[in-house]
């Protein structure tokens, strides 16, 4: 297992390509969007330099890691000799099903097809492929170079061999793989997203402002980021998609996304990546967004 293809050059795709390359794997990073590819290598280089300056990596390993990442926009070329393909496209079920259906027609019966989905059914994704036994969830956390967890999700048809291979592969990256079964949101987001949603409702009820809610959870619970800042960091559109998948999957009101989240996403305020969410990130300064600040 030395040749890895990553589908999608967004934040998660960049991070996944980064950790594979710095651990000695050859990586093809695929995206249909050339601009996304160009930006991805700039970000990976910046993050590798950060690790070199902190002496987590040597300058030589940093440089050779960058050289091991090939950017590519032709899907057939990208996957033809891959041992493992990891899909990290937008959290959209229709898109993921299209991608896996295309991948299935291009790979061999030995290629493992992993998805970094945050919530979507592995079984549903596997069902559009020729070899569902080779399909598995390999869920990394953001920022991928820093976070230790890989949530490993086996679908009903995922083979024991595929699960073992992906578990071992995660360990080779210095990560800690943790197994779970295929239910909407798996474990990480089933617990995280209701907390974020509850923080938004707490804000909506006027119990406290953005900074106050985050400070209480940071200082009181020892979380590195408060839930509203974390939602901005993950992407409000991603949080909304995950809540929708869980709401549809379990049918329980507790997963129903708060209207403030829906309004922000509808208005294009997606968090850090768009420059504004619960906080305003203009000019590199983080301020609680005035519209939702209790002290306005
Ligand atoms: N690449 C490489 N290194 C990075 C990095 C990146 N992209 N981002 C941060 N780092 C490193 C920094 O260099 C720093 O290293 P040292 O400890 O050696 O100094 C370390 O991480 C901490 O970074 P900072 O000092 O810049 O900032 P911080 O202390 O505020 O930490 C953080 C930043 C690691 C992101 C921290 O705030 C944190 O852990 N936040 C919570 C992250 C989290 O919960 N992630 C999961 C989100 S859910 C998800 O991803 C799944 C999903 O399906 C939605």
């Amino acid at each position: 297992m030395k040749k890895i293809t990553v589908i999608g050059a967004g934040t998660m795709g960049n991070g996944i390509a980064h950790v594979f390359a710095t651990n000695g794997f050859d990586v093809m990073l695929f995206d249909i969007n050339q601009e996304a590819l160009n930006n991805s290598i700039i970000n990976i280089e910046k993050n590798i330099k950060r690790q070199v300056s902190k002496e987590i990596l040597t300058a030589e390993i940093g440089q050779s890691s960058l050289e091991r990442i090939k950017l590519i926009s032709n899907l057939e070329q990208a996957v033809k000799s891959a041992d493992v393909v990891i899909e990290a496209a937008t959290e959209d079920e229709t898109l993921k099903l299209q991608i896996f259906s295309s991948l299935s027609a291009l790979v061999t019966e030995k290629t493992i097809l992993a998805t970094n989905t945050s919530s979507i059914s592995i079984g549903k994704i596997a069902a559009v492929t020729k070899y569902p036994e080779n399909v598995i969830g390999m869920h990394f956390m953001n920022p991928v170079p820093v976070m230790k967890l890989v949530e490993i999700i086996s679908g009903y048809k995922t083979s024991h061999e595929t699960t073992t291979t992906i578990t071992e592969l995660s360990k080779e990256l210095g990560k800690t793989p943790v197994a779970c079964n295929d239910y909407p949101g798996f474990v990480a987001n089933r617990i995280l997203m209701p907390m974020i949603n509850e923080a938004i409702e707490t804000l909506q009820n006027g119990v406290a402002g953005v900074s106050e809610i985050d400070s209480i959870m940071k200082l009181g619970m020892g979380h590195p980021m408060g839930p509203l800042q974390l939602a901005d960091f993950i992407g409000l559109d991603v949080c909304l998609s995950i809540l929708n998948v869980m709401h549809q999957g379990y049918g329980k009101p507790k997963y129903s996304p708060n209207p403030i989240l829906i309004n922000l996403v509808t208005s294009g305020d997606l968090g850090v990546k768009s420059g504004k969410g619960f906080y305003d990130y203009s000019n590199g300064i983080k301020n609680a967004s005035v519209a939702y600040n209790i002290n306005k």
Side-chain angles (χ1 to χ4, degrees), residues 12 18 47 50-51 54 56 118 139-143 145-147 189 192-193 224-225 230 233-234 238 242:
M12 295 306 287
H18 173 142
N47 288 327
R50 185 194 327 221
Q51 290 182 307
K54 299 207 163 175
I56 296 167
S118 305
H139 185 205
F140 291 85
M141 304 290 133
N142 184 23
V146 179
M147 307 306 280
N189 283 312
L192 176 62
M193 288 301 152
M225 285 176 172
L230 182 58
F233 179 68
I234 291 168
V238 178
I242 297 169

Side-chain angles (χ1 to χ4, degrees), residues 26-70:
D26 292 325
V27 182
M28 291 269 198
L29 179 54
F30 167 88
D31 204 295
I32 40 168
N33 181 335
Q34 191 59 46
E35 199 186 336
L37 284 175
N38 297 342
N39 289 337
S40 73
I41 204 68
I42 295 170
N43 283 329
I44 294 172
E45 190 168 2
K46 188 179 82 192
N47 288 327
I48 285 182
K49 275 189 180 151
R50 185 194 327 221
Q51 290 182 307
V52 170
S53 71
K54 299 207 163 175
E55 297 181 355
I56 296 167
L57 298 176
T58 63
E60 293 71 33
I61 291 180
Q63 186 54 37
S64 60
S65 304
L66 274 174
E67 286 162 12
R68 272 196 291 275
I69 301 174
K70 303 274 174 274

Side-chain angles (χ1 to χ4, degrees), residues 126-138:
V128 302
T129 68
K130 271 192 283 187
Y131 309 109
E133 64 276 18
N134 295 349
V135 176
I136 190 162
M138 188 179 194

Side-chain angles (χ1 to χ4, degrees), residues 21-160:
T22 52
N23 284 282
F25 293 83
D26 292 325
V27 182
M28 291 269 198
L29 179 54
F30 167 88
D31 204 295
I32 40 168
N33 181 335
Q34 191 59 46
E35 199 186 336
L37 284 175
N38 297 342
N39 289 337
S40 73
I41 204 68
I42 295 170
N43 283 329
I44 294 172
E45 190 168 2
K46 188 179 82 192
N47 288 327
I48 285 182
K49 275 189 180 151
R50 185 194 327 221
Q51 290 182 307
V52 170
S53 71
K54 299 207 163 175
E55 297 181 355
I56 296 167
L57 298 176
T58 63
E60 293 71 33
I61 291 180
Q63 186 54 37
S64 60
S65 304
L66 274 174
E67 286 162 12
R68 272 196 291 275
I69 301 174
K70 303 274 174 274
L71 306 179
I72 185 159
S73 53
N74 177 309
L75 189 62
E76 192 175 347
Q77 296 293 325
V79 301
K80 75 172 184 198
S81 54
D83 297 311
V84 179
V85 179
I86 303 165
E87 169 275 322
T90 309
E91 189 69 0
D92 175 287
E93 187 180 297
T94 310
L95 175 69
K96 287 196 193 283
L97 296 183
Q98 272 168 7
I99 291 173
F100 274 81
S101 166
S102 307
L103 287 174
S104 178
L106 297 171
V107 297
T108 71
E109 77 270 26
K110 292 208 169 117
T111 317
I112 292 182
L113 297 180
T115 171
N116 183 56
T117 179
S118 305
S119 59
I120 297 167
S121 161
I122 305 305
K124 210 171 205 177
I125 292 173
V128 302
T129 68
K130 271 192 283 187
Y131 309 109
E133 64 276 18
N134 295 349
V135 176
I136 190 162
M138 188 179 194
H139 185 205
F140 291 85
M141 304 290 133
N142 184 23
V144 183
V146 179
M147 307 306 280
K148 287 286 172 210
L149 175 68
V150 181
E151 199 177 26
I152 307 279
I153 309 107
S154 302
Y156 280 9
K157 295 216 167 159
T158 308
S159 69
H160 179 67

